[in-house]
C-alpha cells in the first residue's frame, strides 16, 4: 500500500489544510460580533457618562440651593439682630453698637457664602480647620447645639400645629401613671452580666 494512493482528507469546518487560513465568511461574522460589542460598550459608556454628568449637575444645583438658603437665613438673623439693636439704642448705646457690629458680621458672612461656590467654601473651611482647629471644632459644637435647638423647637411647633402632645419628645405619658403602667425609669434594670 502506497500512501500516495490514498486521497487527502479535508477537515470539516471549511478550513483548508494549506497554511490553516480561516474561512472569509467566518472572519466577517467574528468582526461583526466584535464591532457590535464595541458599539454596545460605547453606548454603555456614553449613557454612564451622561448619567454621571446629570448627577453632578443635580448635586451642584442642590448644593447651590442649600448654600443660598443658608446665606438667606444668616442674613435674616443679621437683620433681626439689627432690629433688636435699634430698640437698645435709646437704653444703652454701647450695647446697641456692639449688637449692630455682630449683625454686620453675620450679614457679611451671608454675603461671603452667597458669593463663593460650594467647592471654594469647602476648601476655605478645610484651610480654617487646619489653621485654627480649636476654633473650628468649638464653632462646630456651637452650631450643632443651635441646630439641635432649632430642630427641637420646630418639632414642638409641628406637634402643636397638628394637635399632638409633645410626649414623644420627652417620653413621659401622664396617663400611664393613672392606668397603673410601669414606666421605663421604674422598670428593674438588667443584671450586669446580661449587659
Amino acid at each position: 500500500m502506497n500512501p500516495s494512493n490514498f486521497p487527502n482528507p479535508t477537515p470539516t469546518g471549511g478550513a483548508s489544510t494549506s497554511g490553516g487560513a480561516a474561512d472569509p465568511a467566518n472572519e466577517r461574522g467574528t468582526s461583526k460580533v466584535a464591532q457590535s460589542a464595541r458599539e454596545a460598550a460605547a453606548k454603555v459608556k456614553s449613557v454612564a457618562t451622561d448619567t454621571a454628568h446629570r448627577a453632578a449637575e443635580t448635586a451642584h444645583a442642590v448644593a447651590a440651593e442649600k448654600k443660598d438658603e443658608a446665606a438667606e437665613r444668616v442674613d435674616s438673623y443679621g437683620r433681626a439682630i439689627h432690629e433688636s439693636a435699634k430698640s437698645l439704642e435709646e437704653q444703652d448705646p454701647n450695647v446697641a453698637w456692639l449688637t449692630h457690629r455682630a449683625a454686620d458680621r453675620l450679614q457679611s458672612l451671608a454675603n461671603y457664602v452667597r458669593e463663593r461656590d460650594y467647592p471654594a467654601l469647602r476648601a476655605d473651611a478645610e484651610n480654617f480647620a487646619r489653621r485654627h482647629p480649636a476654633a473650628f471644632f468649638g464653632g462646630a459644637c456651637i452650631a450643632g447645639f443651635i441646630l439641635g435647638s432649632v430642630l427641637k423647637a420646630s418639632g414642638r411647633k409641628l406637634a402643636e400645629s397638628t394637635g399632638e402632645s409633645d410626649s414623644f419628645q420627652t417620653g413621659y405619658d401622664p396617663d400611664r401613671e393613672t392606668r397603673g403602667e410601669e414606666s421605663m425609669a421604674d422598670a428593674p434594670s438588667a443584671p450586669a452580666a446580661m449587659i
Side-chain angles (χ1 to χ4, degrees):
M1 290 208 127
N2 189 356
S4 60
N5 293 344
F6 292 111
N8 195 5
T10 58
T12 55
S16 68
T17 56
S18 62
D23 183 17
N26 193 15
E27 283 182 13
R28 276 185 257 131
T30 303
S31 68
K32 284 183 182 180
V33 169
Q35 183 176 355
S36 296
R38 283 191 296 270
E39 289 173 0
K43 285 180 184 177
V44 167
K45 184 178 179 182
S46 173
V47 169
T49 303
D50 290 344
T51 303
H53 284 300
R54 278 186 275 160
E57 288 172 1
T58 302
H60 187 270
V62 168
E65 180 182 324
K66 295 298 181 186
K67 177 184 72 82
D68 291 342
E69 286 177 10
E72 185 57 38
R73 184 167 293 160
V74 169
D75 191 45
S76 70
Y77 293 153
R79 288 191 305 265
I81 292 171
H82 271 304
E83 290 299 318
S84 297
K86 286 179 185 177
S87 67
L88 292 172
E89 286 174 351
E90 293 176 9
Q91 297 170 358
D92 192 352
N94 292 330
V95 172
W97 181 80
L98 288 172
T99 308
H100 278 299
R101 294 267 322 234
D104 289 339
R105 294 266 174 113
L106 280 176
Q107 288 181 320
S108 67
L109 174 65
N111 290 334
Y112 166 78
V113 169
R114 274 190 203 102
E115 292 169 0
R116 305 283 285 186
D117 61 347
Y118 181 73
L121 287 172
R122 193 174 108 206
D124 290 346
E126 289 173 354
N127 289 336
F128 182 79
R130 272 190 227 108
R131 287 184 308 212
H132 310 287
F136 178 78
F137 288 114
C141 288
I142 291 170
F145 288 132
I146 291 170
L147 181 62
S149 299
V150 168
L151 290 174
K152 188 174 181 182
S154 65
R156 284 185 185 147
K157 187 175 181 180
L158 178 65
E160 289 172 3
S161 68
T162 59
E164 297 175 4
S165 70
D166 65 341
S167 64
F168 70 92
Q169 293 174 351
T170 61
Y172 175 71
D173 184 6
D175 294 332
R176 184 183 303 147
E177 291 177 14
T178 59
R179 291 190 307 253
E181 294 178 10
E182 192 175 83
S183 68
M184 291 299 286
D186 298 333
S189 61
M194 293 178 70
I195 298 175

